[in-house]
Amino acid sequence: MDLLNLYQNNYLIVFVFLCLGVLLPIVALTLGRLLRPYKPSAEKYTTYESGLDPFHDARVQFNVRYYIFALMFVVFDVETVFLYPWAVAYEKLGIFALIEMSIFVIMLLIGLIYAWKKKVLKWI
């Protein structure tokens, strides 16, 4: 019976955090909308370009390579996020974690070599 109470208590905590996670942004945005000054003008609805009047269309097509380069950056940035806790707790984790992390790094190196061969990492 005590174990059942423990599980119900865990679900209650998750439910409370879920409610708070949904409710707090709604309350904050609603309060902000009610408390902010509302003085619309035509000038406020124009596009701001460093103090100059806009003179071109805002939709500019970028080269796809820039997106791929940014995606590669994110992948290797996430790698750092995974490597840091492993490096901090290396002594506690043991040889199994070393093998796991080695496999992870080797897979990322294979991906980097593949991207390099496909010439994804060239700017021009």
Side-chain angles (χ1 to χ4, degrees), residues 82-112:
F82 283 125
L83 282 174
Y84 184 73
W86 171 78
V88 170
Y90 174 69
E91 289 181 6
K92 294 178 186 176
L93 297 175
I95 192 75
F96 179 72
L98 177 65
I99 294 169
E100 263 187 37
M101 197 50 65
S102 299
I103 292 170
F104 179 68
V105 170
I106 288 169
M107 287 172 51
L108 286 172
L109 282 174
I110 291 170
L112 179 63

Side-chain angles (χ1 to χ4, degrees), residues 62-69:
F62 290 99
N63 195 341
V64 173
R65 288 186 201 157
Y66 297 126
Y67 295 111
I68 295 173
F69 199 81

Side-chain angles (χ1 to χ4, degrees), residues 7-56:
Y7 285 129
Q8 287 175 345
N9 210 8
N10 286 340
Y11 284 118
L12 180 65
I13 291 171
V14 170
F15 180 72
V16 167
F17 272 105
L18 181 67
C19 288
L20 285 174
V22 170
L23 211 90
L24 285 177
I26 291 173
V27 169
L29 290 171
T30 305
L31 281 176
R33 186 172 201 155
L34 293 175
L35 297 176
R36 72 176 180 223
Y38 182 70
K39 297 177 184 173
S41 68
E43 242 176 62
K44 287 185 179 181
Y45 292 115
T46 61
T47 306
Y48 180 76
E49 289 187 10
S50 303
L52 302 173
D53 291 330
F55 52 86
H56 286 290

